[in-house]
């Protein structure tokens, strides 16, 4: 559906941050709503949706357990 959204989870993108989460959220909300830029009367709802999706993305990535990535990180420090 949103082909322009890149994978943000480690180790694919180890340095993803809030800006990356917000950009992905913006692309998602644009796609779902059908608006590249919403009209003034829809701006608040649009912005709340982007914030909610960005927050959910950050929470998801913080909670994911990527098997094998922990072992590689430990090996890199040895």
């Amino acid at each position: 559906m949103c082909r322009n959204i890149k994978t943000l989870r480690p180790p694919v993108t180890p340095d993803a941050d809030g800006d990356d989460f917000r950009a992905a959220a913006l692309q998602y909300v644009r796609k779902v709503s059908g608006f590249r830029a919403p009209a003034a009367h829809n701006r608040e709802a649009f912005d709340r949706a982007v914030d909610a999706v960005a927050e959910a993305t950050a929470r998801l990535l913080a909670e994911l357990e990527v098997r094998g990535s922990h072992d590689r990180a430990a090996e890199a420090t040895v």
Side-chain angles (χ1 to χ4, degrees):
M1 178 168 102
C2 297
R3 286 176 262 169
N4 294 335
I5 297 175
K6 65 181 182 176
T7 301
L8 298 177
R9 75 165 170 78
V12 177
T13 307
D15 57 350
D17 60 13
D19 290 337
D20 295 312
F21 304 155
R22 184 148 182 87
L26 179 60
Q27 287 296 319
Y28 175 79
V29 172
R30 284 177 173 168
K31 186 68 164 185
V32 169
S33 70
F35 297 118
R36 174 146 173 70
H41 64 277
N42 288 325
R43 169 59 64 188
E44 190 175 324
F46 189 89
D47 289 343
R48 274 195 313 267
V50 171
D51 292 342
V53 172
E55 183 179 315
T57 300
R59 191 171 49 250
L60 169 67
L61 293 176
E63 294 175 4
L64 283 179
E65 178 184 330
V66 181
R67 294 184 185 239
S69 65
H70 184 282
D71 294 337
R72 287 186 211 139
E75 289 173 6
T77 60
V78 174

